[in-house]
Amino acid sequence: LMVVWGVLYIAPPSRAAFLPLANVNGVDLGLGLPSLLFAWGITEVVRYSFYFFKLLGAVPHAVTWMRYTFFIVLYPLGVASELFLTYSGFPTLVSTGALSYPMPNPYNISIHFPSIVIMFFLGYVPGFPMLYMYMVNQRKKVLAPKKAKKA
């Protein structure tokens, strides 16, 4: 929500930002809104397919495998895209003062939205490795071969 409403909606230049990383057969590949939508889209389709089949009581192995494997590439791609788009929209957030609430005002409080965005950025430092390693450990647990029970 922070990226969608806090950056992409309020800072339109971030929607067009693109950081080329590679060129494959004449097509630039990189970070930007398409990579964000790709990572989020695939992740959500797989995640909710997994939940749907879980509600039915039988999750196909292919769906389980996708749920616990695709994140290896899609999670870093999504995070990198979020951070790049937030970074590219930051100057607009600062210059427009969007979502900020400066003093003086009747409530005697001040909210500086760019400061909140910086805290958002800093939250990724401990948050991303912790959540990524959690998923790696879940993958090991869920996809590990089942041990035969001893009689």
Side-chain angles (χ1 to χ4, degrees):
L1 289 175
M2 173 68 160
V3 174
V4 173
W5 295 110
V7 178
L8 294 174
Y9 181 74
I10 294 171
S14 65
R15 294 181 224 153
F18 185 73
L19 177 65
L21 300 176
N23 188 299
V24 178
N25 296 327
V27 177
D28 282 332
L29 300 177
L31 298 177
L33 189 57
S35 63
L36 179 71
L37 295 176
F38 175 79
W40 280 0
I42 299 295
T43 299
E44 297 307 319
V45 167
V46 171
R47 178 184 305 155
Y48 290 110
S49 297
F50 177 82
Y51 293 151
F52 171 75
F53 284 114
K54 197 168 185 174
L55 286 173
L56 295 179
V59 181
H61 179 71
V63 174
T64 300
W65 183 86
M66 288 187 287
R67 168 83 170 104
Y68 292 101
T69 303
F70 284 8
F71 83 90
I72 294 169
V73 173
L74 295 177
Y75 194 31
L77 176 63
V79 167
S81 298
E82 288 175 16
L83 291 175
F84 172 70
L85 291 170
T86 303
Y87 175 78
S88 64
F90 192 77
T92 303
L93 296 176
V94 172
S95 66
T96 63
L99 296 182
S100 293
Y101 194 61
M103 287 189 44
N105 60 61
Y107 304 108
N108 204 26
I109 62 167
S110 178
I111 298 172
H112 187 244
F113 188 64
S115 297
I116 294 170
V117 170
I118 290 170
M119 288 186 278
F120 169 75
F121 254 86
L122 294 175
Y124 274 94
V125 174
F128 173 74
M130 181 178 63
L131 293 173
Y132 190 80
M133 291 312 297
Y134 173 78
M135 284 301 294
V136 168
N137 292 330
Q138 286 296 105
R139 182 179 194 277
K140 288 178 188 174
K141 187 168 83 174
V142 171
L143 297 181
K146 303 292 182 224
K147 294 181 181 178
K149 292 184 180 179
K150 295 182 182 180

